[in-house]
Amino acid sequence: MLDRRTLLATGAALMAAPAIAARKSANPNFPKGFYWGAATAPHQVEGNNIASDLWFVENQQPTVFSQPSGDACNSFALWETDLDLVKAMGLNAYRFGIEWARIEPEKGLFSQAMLDHYKAVIDGCHARGLAPIVTFSHFTAPRWFSAQGGWTNPESAQLFARYCDKAMRALGQGIASAITLNEPNILLLLKPMLPPQVWDIQKLTLETAAKRLGVPKYVCANVAGFDDLPALQTGLEAAHKAGKAAIKAVRGDLPVGFSLALMDDQAVGAHSVRDAMRKQLYGNWLEIAKGDDFIGVQNYERALWGDKGRLPAPKGSAVNWSGTEVWAPSLGGAVRFAHEATGVPILVSEHGVGSDDDAVRAKFIPEALAGLKAAIDDGVPVLGYCHWSLLDNFEWIFGYKPKFGLHSVDPVTFARTPKPSAAVYGAIARRNAL
Ligand code: BGC
């Protein structure tokens, strides 16, 4: 949901990119047991997620969504094909989400059939030698939940914990790592970047949804009104804690964390606002992560902070689909900061680039992984790396336009085709070395 990738694609700057120290590591290998994964999210690939909150708002008029998710990649039916793709690349992990709206489509009504479905996906991972890294909520929630105020509802943490408990009892034994919430700070990150009109459209979208349902307030994790943000953060923080406790109550040994949308924030000049901005963008989340087993780092870009705010990217930078700078060393920078700020191990739960030109991706992956390896060599504990994304998929408000996939997907036949970058990434994973 990332206007941050669009809106920052402005003009020129006369600034040179900080030089990246080229270092040769003594040991060329990534750590033993390192997770090499690809990532997806249920709403973005499964299709027909009709009981979810976002499905409803995608199909309102007016809506902030440029198109509805519809069939997506039809991964609800084609999950075995997807797992085969992950295995064929030579990876050993798959990050995917279970969809709360399918498991609890009405408040208190839990679907055994849907739990069985996700159990089959988890078993399918193990059958292929893939560690299942499971997200419990990747932005979407059931429609009934958001129609009761979503994460701004004081009851929300307890509702989320009840779902986590049910899911864990059915699925917990097979999970390798659990991510409670995906990017609960996404709107904090977007707050200073989205122009007022976008906040207005989001608000209008939600007011329309609320009116249609005859409820006072409809709020989603990644679509909310500006004024909802404080209550949303309070609710998400409580939900992470309650969800984690519910997960641990079933399996105390299971590593649990959340994933954070994290830029590589760089200070430019003596009076940079960088540190103040970090407080706004990451809220209490770095503090909260200190009590977790790991933090999921999701990095797509760097931000240059001067004394008055964000500076434009250097002139002539490589750019992504929206014109935003593509700067491979940002991954290493974000990972170093996340560890320094929290002290816990890092799981790169997302990293990628939206581009129609796969040559950009094929070049970007090894360059970014070199920066990650340098951080590991400097002592940062990194558990694994999950590339976003396995497939070209539904990119939230931007619909199907941005292409983040290692595989393209035919929108009519749903046929998946590997892009050259899939072979580049797979070769690194197979070698466990650059
Ligand atoms: C989200 C993904 C999204 C990706 C690319 C992350 O913010 O977790 O769902 O598709 O970025 O924009």
Side-chain angles (χ1 to χ4, degrees):
M1 168 50 223
L2 309 279
D3 258 349
R4 66 182 188 260
R5 325 244 208 274
T6 308
L7 298 163
L8 304 170
T10 49
L14 298 167
M15 190 186 319
I20 325 144
R23 289 201 305 98
K24 266 234 161 307
S25 155
N27 179 358
N29 296 327
F30 279 79
K32 204 164 167 280
F34 192 80
Y35 287 138
W36 290 105
T40 59
H43 189 72
Q44 293 177 270
V45 298
E46 286 181 345
N48 298 296
N49 190 15
I50 59 172
S52 72
D53 55 352
L54 290 190
W55 176 277
F56 190 68
V57 295
E58 285 159 24
N59 292 289
Q60 297 306 309
Q61 277 309 327
T63 179
V64 65
F65 286 82
S66 59
Q67 62 186 128
S69 52
D71 284 331
C73 306
N74 198 20
S75 290
F76 188 77
L78 298 179
W79 60 270
E80 286 170 291
T81 307
D82 292 346
L83 296 189
D84 289 342
L85 297 178
V86 182
K87 183 178 159 66
M89 285 177 63
L91 307 185
N92 62 12
Y94 181 44
R95 177 189 170 206
F96 65 99
I98 55 174
E99 183 58 62
W100 184 5
R102 292 190 196 274
I103 293 175
E104 192 181 359
E106 294 294 342
K107 192 175 185 178
L109 180 83
F110 288 88
S111 164
Q112 187 57 47
M114 292 299 134
L115 290 167
D116 290 348
H117 167 82
Y118 290 115
K119 172 83 166 54
V121 178
I122 289 169
D123 290 348
C125 285
H126 289 293
R128 292 166 180 80
L130 306 173
I133 300 174
V134 174
T135 316
F136 283 65
S137 174
H138 194 123
F139 295 148
T140 40
R143 186 174 82 180
W144 61 260
F145 176 83
S146 296
Q148 294 179 3
W151 305 100
T152 69
N153 173 358
E155 217 196 334
S156 58
Q158 178 261 318
L159 291 168
F160 181 61
R162 181 174 68 169
Y163 148 70
C164 290
D165 170 70
K166 294 271 192 234
M168 276 302 290
R169 285 175 197 281
L171 312 171
Q173 288 316 315
I175 297 177
S177 268
I179 295 175
T180 54
L181 301 172
N182 180 72
E183 298 189 346
N185 68 319
I186 187 66
L187 292 179
L188 293 184
L189 198 96
L190 294 177
K191 192 174 162 191
M193 300 176 194
L194 291 181
Q197 313 83 279
V198 178
W199 287 104
D200 291 348
I201 302 168
Q202 292 198 55
K203 197 162 171 253
L204 193 61
T205 303
L206 296 173
E207 282 170 2
T208 307
K211 211 176 289 161
R212 283 269 314 268
L213 293 172
V215 296
K217 203 169 178 58
Y218 196 97
V219 183
C220 308
N222 62 348
V223 182
F226 198 82
D227 299 337
D228 295 322
L229 296 196
L232 195 61
Q233 285 302 303
T234 305
L236 288 164
E237 289 172 15
H240 168 65
K241 290 174 191 163
K244 179 179 142 189
I247 292 170
K248 290 280 191 188
V250 178
R251 251 195 75 191
D253 65 317
L254 180 62
V256 185
F258 61 86
S259 70
L260 191 71
L262 191 69
M263 299 194 288
D264 178 14
D265 300 287
Q266 300 178 3
V268 178
H271 305 288
S272 168
V273 296
R274 192 264 311 264
D275 294 349
M277 284 312 300
R278 277 180 166 161
K279 290 205 171 72
Q280 287 185 34
L281 304 172
Y282 311 122
N284 297 325
W285 292 103
L286 293 163
E287 204 50 40
I288 291 169
K290 289 181 180 170
D292 291 347
D293 299 309
F294 65 89
I295 179 166
V297 167
Q298 312 211 147
N299 172 260
Y300 289 88
E301 64 189 280
R302 70 167 166 175
L304 302 169
W305 297 105
D307 58 352
K308 292 190 185 58
R310 192 157 176 182
L311 302 169
K315 218 177 192 165
S317 302
V319 292
N320 68 9
W321 72 279
S322 65
T324 302
E325 182 194 25
V326 176
W327 197 71
S330 72
L331 178 63
V335 158
R336 285 171 193 270
F337 169 69
H339 180 61
E340 198 181 286
T342 63
V344 296
I346 305 299
L347 172 67
V348 179
S349 39
E350 279 184 33
H351 170 258
V353 57
S355 180
D356 290 347
D357 180 1
D358 187 58
V360 171
R361 187 172 299 103
K363 181 168 176 289
F364 178 70
I365 293 173
E367 284 178 6
L369 289 174
L372 184 65
K373 179 67 167 54
I376 294 170
D377 291 343
D378 285 343
V380 179
V382 183
L383 306 169
Y385 170 89
C386 296
H387 191 79
W388 185 271
S389 177
L390 178 65
L391 306 171
D392 285 342
N393 61 41
F394 178 69
E395 188 51 41
W396 310 113
I397 61 171
F398 301 113
Y400 290 96
K401 189 171 187 317
K403 307 288 184 205
F404 280 85
L406 295 160
H407 300 80
S408 60
V409 179
D410 184 301
V412 177
T413 64
F414 306 116
R416 281 87 161 122
T417 307
K419 301 179 190 175
S421 57
V424 171
Y425 175 43
I428 296 171
R430 281 197 171 90
R431 284 196 296 272
N432 197 35
L434 287 165

